[in-house]
Amino acid sequence: MKVNASSIFPTMAGKTGAGAIEQMGVSMNLKRDAEIYGENEPAEYLYKVVSGAVRTSRILADGRRQIGAFFLPGDVFGLESGMAHAFSAEAIAESRVLVIKRSALAALAARDNTVAQEFLTITNRELARLQQHVMVLIKTAEERVVGFLFEMAARVSGKNLVELPMSRRDIADYLGLTIETVSRTMSHLEDIAAIELQSKRRIILRNRGVLGTLNG
Amino acid sequence: MKVNASSIFPTMAGKTGAGAIEQMGVSMNLKRDAEIYGENEPAEYLYKVVSGAVRTSRILADGRRQIGAFFLPGDVFGLESGMAHAFSAEAIAESRVLVIKRSALAALAARDNTVAQEFLTITNRELARLQQHVMVLIKTAEERVVGFLFEMAARVSGKNLVELPMSRRDIADYLGLTIETVSRTMSHLEDIAAIELQSKRRIILRNRGVLGTLNG
DNA sequence: CGACACTTTGACGCACTTCAAAGGGGGTGG
DNA sequence: CCACCCCCTTTGAAGTGCGTCAAAGTGTCG
């Protein structure tokens, strides 16, 4: 068994594929708002979104809610922190996810280093996503919303049509804003013809140039 | 060679120790504000702080600066993102760091799985730190400063005396605030006897109870 | 078709920023 | 060793972006 540099420090490979989770994972169907795991529960499993969307969240002492991340088809989640989940995870919409026991994955990794490779790739991607999230959070409201739209455009389509699976409240809690501010900002972006709201959850990026300048 | 669950998904082990980086790393001395690597440079090396302190930062289009992280003795840095550094890294004070080529570490990991284990532990710790940073950034100014003081107390001493290696500007850019707001908040915390400023960079946590309630 | 939840819009207040100036504090040169 | 000076920090006053409170509009599912 030989391990080369690219397997230990993999580049960002395609996120969908027939990896260990696909082979060993058990499928699970979830209704809207169904809890997948709770805050502080032991982190025994990893999850991969097949269809639908998942959010991780955390309730603060004063009742505010912070969304840690949104996970879309192909994304892996459940690896936050060491032994216990720091966030809870819920389905945003009707969803299907694959579930795999971490211990089973570890056993497999012992025999097949492409599995360890896959795991490192996933972790690196999560690291990059969190850094992106930090960068967004220090900006103004308009920059946060624009940054969010760009992120979603890149993840759900790559094109200019963005279908948002989550509510304004979810977006607000992800960006550390209120729903009113998110709504007002969206309206403003529409006023200046930077975006078009085909419906509340269908958005077209009309002018990436303008949006880019608003992105800080 | 056998790999068990805890080596693939390690718990948070002690961060100092005689790991691969200590054995193979090359020592490097840095003056205050010396750049260790720049934004967008290829990420060929990993680094470990021996003494002093390091910050990672990024300059936005409009000149604002975001601090990604502070690294203290024992901390490993340079693993942000896939192939290129998303942040630059500079020494905050006179510092000594160990440098190791990632490819060398990867080769070692192929023969000794405790190295891969060590790498995963480091990555997991970084993941947890970023989540903490996100949580801090959605709060009010006072909560951010208190959260920062708690974080530093835990990292530099564990006790109530906090020696800050970084300037108010660094703190402000880490927390997404202005230096004036940081300064005012510190003064306020001193007024209510929650902390004591022995000097600008020596702070004593006088009342963790009060500080805890201010931490959201 | 009607009811309810989500979203948008409006008015006002406050926390943080901005602009400005007055303290320190520590390091260097005399 | 002390004093001066520069830079970092603190403090003050005024402006503003976002939050809060309130109400109207919109889509959707029974």
Side-chain angles (χ1 to χ4, degrees):
Chain A
M1 184 196 296
K2 196 165 181 307
V3 181
N4 61 28
S6 68
S7 72
I8 295 293
F9 304 110
T11 57
M12 295 295 168
K15 67 179 178 178
T16 55
I21 296 176
E22 278 74 9
Q23 291 162 41
M24 301 181 61
V26 174
S27 186
M28 193 176 163
N29 286 318
L30 298 157
K31 289 202 209 309
R32 193 165 179 276
D33 289 329
E35 180 173 294
I36 300 164
Y37 54 79
E39 226 175 300
N40 300 322
E41 282 181 16
E44 286 179 59
Y45 302 91
L46 282 186
Y47 307 83
K48 182 162 189 168
V49 180
V50 175
S51 66
V54 171
R55 65 170 174 257
T56 57
S57 67
R58 203 170 175 178
I59 308 295
L60 303 185
D62 62 0
R64 278 176 298 175
R65 184 184 68 157
Q66 172 64 14
I67 302 287
F70 296 115
F71 297 102
L72 305 174
D75 293 337
V76 174
F77 65 99
L79 38 69
E80 70 243 34
S81 114
M83 292 311 285
H85 288 297
F87 290 78
S88 67
E90 306 105 36
I92 292 176
E94 193 104 353
S95 300
R96 204 157 71 86
V97 305
L98 294 172
V99 186
I100 186 172
K101 236 191 164 83
R102 291 165 88 106
S103 57
L105 193 59
L108 186 63
R111 287 180 284 108
D112 179 0
N113 70 51
T114 64
V115 174
Q117 198 180 130
E118 191 187 356
F119 182 73
L120 277 162
T121 301
I122 290 164
T123 305
N124 271 350
R125 192 176 301 129
E126 181 69 2
L127 216 54
R129 201 196 52 73
L130 273 165
Q131 280 174 347
Q132 190 55 38
H133 197 177
V134 166
M135 291 308 291
V136 164
L137 287 178
I138 64 155
K139 301 186 182 182
T140 65
E142 188 160 70
E143 290 167 334
R144 293 188 211 194
V145 172
V146 171
F148 173 76
L149 290 176
F150 275 147
E151 183 194 340
M152 283 299 142
R155 291 174 66 188
V156 309
S157 67
K159 291 283 296 163
N160 290 330
L161 174 63
V162 186
E163 292 258 19
L164 299 175
M166 73 290 286
S167 68
R168 294 286 188 273
R169 165 137 305 285
D170 286 337
I171 297 170
D173 289 348
Y174 180 70
L175 297 178
L177 299 171
T178 61
I179 59 173
E180 293 94 331
T181 298
V182 171
S183 183
R184 264 186 265 270
T185 304
M186 294 274 199
S187 297
H188 176 66
L189 292 175
E190 193 173 27
D191 287 346
I192 63 175
I195 66 172
E196 177 185 336
L197 284 108
Q198 291 203 332
S199 78
K200 292 166 198 288
R201 297 197 177 180
R202 274 178 75 93
I203 298 175
I204 296 177
L205 308 188
R206 276 261 166 257
N207 192 335
R208 281 189 182 253
V210 170
L211 288 170
T213 66
L214 297 180
N215 196 20
Chain B
M1 184 195 294
K2 198 167 179 303
V3 181
N4 60 29
S6 68
S7 71
I8 295 293
F9 305 109
T11 59
M12 295 293 168
K15 67 179 177 180
T16 56
I21 297 175
E22 278 75 9
Q23 292 163 40
M24 301 181 62
V26 174
S27 187
M28 192 175 164
N29 287 318
L30 298 158
K31 290 201 207 308
R32 193 167 178 276
D33 289 330
E35 179 173 294
I36 300 165
Y37 55 79
E39 226 175 298
N40 300 323
E41 283 181 15
E44 287 180 57
Y45 302 91
L46 282 187
Y47 307 83
K48 181 163 188 167
V49 181
V50 175
S51 66
V54 171
R55 66 169 174 257
T56 56
S57 67
R58 203 170 175 179
I59 308 295
L60 302 185
D62 62 0
R64 280 176 297 175
R65 185 185 67 156
Q66 171 64 13
I67 302 287
F70 296 115
F71 296 101
L72 305 175
D75 293 336
V76 174
F77 65 98
L79 38 68
E80 71 243 32
S81 112
M83 294 310 285
H85 289 297
F87 290 79
S88 68
E90 306 105 37
I92 291 176
E94 193 104 353
S95 299
R96 204 156 72 83
V97 305
L98 293 173
V99 185
I100 185 173
K101 237 192 163 82
R102 292 164 87 105
S103 58
L105 192 59
L108 186 63
R111 285 179 284 106
D112 180 359
N113 70 51
T114 63
V115 174
Q117 197 180 130
E118 192 187 355
F119 183 73
L120 276 163
T121 302
I122 291 163
T123 305
N124 271 348
R125 191 177 300 128
E126 181 69 1
L127 219 50
R129 200 196 53 70
L130 274 164
Q131 280 174 348
Q132 190 56 39
H133 198 178
V134 167
M135 292 309 288
V136 165
L137 287 179
I138 64 156
K139 301 186 182 182
T140 65
E142 190 160 70
E143 290 168 334
R144 293 188 212 194
V145 172
V146 170
F148 174 76
L149 290 176
F150 275 147
E151 183 192 342
M152 283 298 141
R155 290 174 65 186
V156 309
S157 66
K159 292 281 297 160
N160 290 330
L161 175 63
V162 185
E163 293 258 18
L164 299 175
M166 72 291 287
S167 69
R168 293 287 188 272
R169 167 139 302 286
D170 286 338
I171 297 171
D173 290 346
Y174 181 68
L175 298 178
L177 299 171
T178 60
I179 59 173
E180 293 94 331
T181 299
V182 171
S183 183
R184 267 186 262 269
T185 304
M186 293 274 200
S187 297
H188 175 66
L189 292 175
E190 193 174 28
D191 288 345
I192 63 175
I195 65 172
E196 178 186 337
L197 283 108
Q198 290 201 334
S199 78
K200 292 166 199 289
R201 297 198 179 181
R202 274 178 73 92
I203 297 175
I204 296 177
L205 307 189
R206 277 262 166 257
N207 192 335
R208 281 190 182 253
V210 170
L211 288 170
T213 66
L214 298 180
N215 197 19

